Amino acid sequence: MRQYALECKDEEKINRFLTSSKTGYLGMSDNGAPYVIPLNYVWWNGVIYFHGAAEGRKIDILSKNPQACFTVSEEFGTMADPIPAMTDTAFMSVIIFGKAHPVTELSEATGAMQVMLDKYVPGYYHTALSGAHVERYRSSLGSKTLVFALTPVNLTAKENKLDTTKTYYKGRTSKMDAK
Amino acid sequence: MRQYALECKDEEKINRFLTSSKTGYLGMSDNGAPYVIPLNYVWWNGVIYFHGAAEGRKIDILSKNPQACFTVSEEFGTMADPIPAMTDTAFMSVIIFGKAHPVTELSEATGAMQVMLDKYVPGYYHTALSGAHVERYRSSLGSKTLVFALTPVNLTAKENKLDTTKTYYKGRTSKMDAK
């Protein structure tokens, strides 16, 4: 990723990007040791929601240090250049800082899980998720599942647009691109 | 991501996965505040290499606290189930812990950058990267680019295989899957 990628200030574009991307990377800090895990998530009412077991390393770390970084990035192709240092990647990324907390309100947790089902399996269920189902929700490990919320204190987006004249494809060579 | 995903111990599979995946997520800890950035990287001789500006937040944090977590994950589809809590994602992920340091040996940095070009633009260049080029390598911001190495102290891989009978597709409904 190149440093000169322009900061993206387009709020609607950022919302679309966070709404449609499938995987986010939650960064935590365990006594100074970083820990990053991939997660399904939803971006709902300006908040990142994800879920996870009520027991385990994630909840252990977050209960001691709720500071979190949530990063979402998508890659749109490699751009080739006869100068090796100019080889570049097209991408969009959003980095969010804030504190991650378990959601205690059942209605909020149920709403977030509904938005998650609508995102990952749209149209699959014919009825809305019930609060009772969420309350009973248990992972196969036998421990309860929690819904977490991360409200952004800081959000930055970067974008490096694809220059389609430079898109790398198999068979493209620097000789073809030499001026 | 579900907790019951089996730990993957297949070293060859892990090597293939780390070699072919395109984006890694570097987690750092800045006085207890996590920071996660997406990066192009290579997995070469059992070491993660990536590059970045010699000035900026990444090098500032790593020079104070080189502890790093490098996470790579790929998603292979959503698995639908009439029971909402059983909705699941197929994925493979690798989480690496270790310390990230700038590479000081020019030959090692050149080798890593060559492997990076071979990964992202295979066959594009007709000549190998010269050490002189790497030494002159400068980003558009005018600061030198550094190559970083992260040697794993701990590496864990998880895998949740795709059950193709449950793959979600547009139009699939829970009624079709009801027993």
Side-chain angles (χ1 to χ4, degrees):
Chain A
M1 308 287 170
R2 301 288 293 266
Q3 291 301 312
Y4 63 79
L6 289 181
E7 194 172 341
C8 172
K9 294 278 194 187
D10 182 339
E11 233 174 271
E12 204 186 307
K13 191 170 195 174
I14 294 169
N15 278 328
R16 272 203 312 275
F17 178 79
L18 287 173
T19 301
S20 63
S21 294
K22 290 193 83 174
T23 308
Y25 290 77
L26 174 70
M28 294 158 279
S29 179
D30 186 5
N31 287 318
Y35 182 46
V36 181
I37 54 172
L39 289 170
N40 291 344
Y41 75 95
V42 287
W43 174 241
W44 183 45
N45 298 334
V47 176
I48 295 283
Y49 291 92
F50 52 89
H51 61 94
E55 289 162 29
R57 186 151 182 214
K58 177 169 54 182
I59 184 72
D60 285 351
I61 299 176
L62 290 177
S63 59
K64 283 184 295 181
N65 179 10
Q67 289 181 95
C69 176
F70 199 85
T71 298
V72 182
S73 182
E74 300 281 342
E75 185 263 306
F76 305 115
T78 302
M79 294 176 277
D81 193 285
I83 301 167
M86 299 291 285
T87 300
D88 203 0
T89 301
F91 70 92
M92 179 156 175
S93 66
V94 176
I95 300 183
I96 293 170
F97 296 98
K99 288 182 180 176
H101 292 289
V103 173
T104 50
E105 273 280 326
L106 181 61
S107 59
E108 185 185 358
T110 305
M113 296 303 279
Q114 181 65 58
V115 176
M116 197 169 280
L117 291 173
D118 292 343
K119 175 181 178 180
Y120 291 96
V121 288
Y124 184 77
Y125 299 104
H126 297 270
T127 53
L129 198 59
S130 73
H133 181 89
V134 174
E135 206 160 48
R136 283 194 314 264
Y137 200 120
R138 283 166 187 278
S139 84
S140 327
L141 288 174
S143 72
K144 261 191 184 153
T145 294
L146 291 177
V147 176
F148 294 82
L150 196 174
T151 303
V153 169
N154 187 279
L155 184 156
T156 53
K158 275 188 179 181
E159 191 180 17
N160 193 25
K161 284 185 181 159
L162 184 67
D163 175 351
T164 53
T165 65
K166 299 182 77 175
T167 310
Y168 170 78
Y169 52 83
K170 212 185 157 196
R172 185 168 192 156
T173 66
S174 57
K175 279 183 185 163
M176 291 159 63
D177 295 336
K179 279 124 203 168
Chain B
M1 309 287 172
R2 299 289 292 266
Q3 290 301 312
Y4 64 79
L6 288 182
E7 194 172 341
C8 172
K9 293 279 194 186
D10 182 339
E11 233 174 271
E12 205 186 305
K13 190 170 195 174
I14 294 169
N15 279 326
R16 272 203 312 274
F17 178 78
L18 287 174
T19 301
S20 62
S21 294
K22 290 193 84 175
T23 308
Y25 291 77
L26 174 71
M28 295 158 277
S29 177
D30 185 5
N31 287 319
Y35 181 46
V36 180
I37 54 172
L39 289 170
N40 290 344
Y41 75 96
V42 289
W43 174 242
W44 183 45
N45 297 332
V47 176
I48 295 282
Y49 291 93
F50 53 89
H51 61 93
E55 290 162 29
R57 184 150 183 213
K58 177 167 59 182
I59 183 72
D60 285 351
I61 299 176
L62 290 177
S63 60
K64 284 185 294 179
N65 178 12
Q67 291 182 93
C69 177
F70 199 85
T71 297
V72 182
S73 183
E74 299 280 344
E75 186 264 306
F76 305 116
T78 302
M79 294 176 279
D81 193 285
I83 302 166
M86 299 290 285
T87 300
D88 204 0
T89 301
F91 70 92
M92 178 157 176
S93 66
V94 176
I95 300 184
I96 293 170
F97 296 99
K99 289 181 180 175
H101 291 290
V103 173
T104 50
E105 274 279 327
L106 181 61
S107 60
E108 186 185 358
T110 306
M113 295 301 280
Q114 181 66 59
V115 176
M116 197 168 281
L117 291 173
D118 292 345
K119 176 180 178 182
Y120 291 95
V121 288
Y124 184 77
Y125 299 104
H126 297 271
T127 54
L129 199 59
S130 72
H133 181 89
V134 174
E135 206 160 48
R136 284 195 312 264
Y137 199 121
R138 282 167 188 276
S139 83
S140 327
L141 288 175
S143 72
K144 262 193 183 150
T145 293
L146 290 177
V147 176
F148 294 81
L150 196 173
T151 303
V153 169
N154 187 279
L155 183 156
T156 53
K158 275 188 179 180
E159 192 181 17
N160 193 25
K161 285 184 182 158
L162 183 68
D163 176 350
T164 53
T165 66
K166 300 182 76 177
T167 310
Y168 170 78
Y169 51 84
K170 212 184 157 195
R172 185 169 191 155
T173 67
S174 58
K175 279 184 185 162
M176 291 159 64
D177 296 336
K179 276 127 205 166

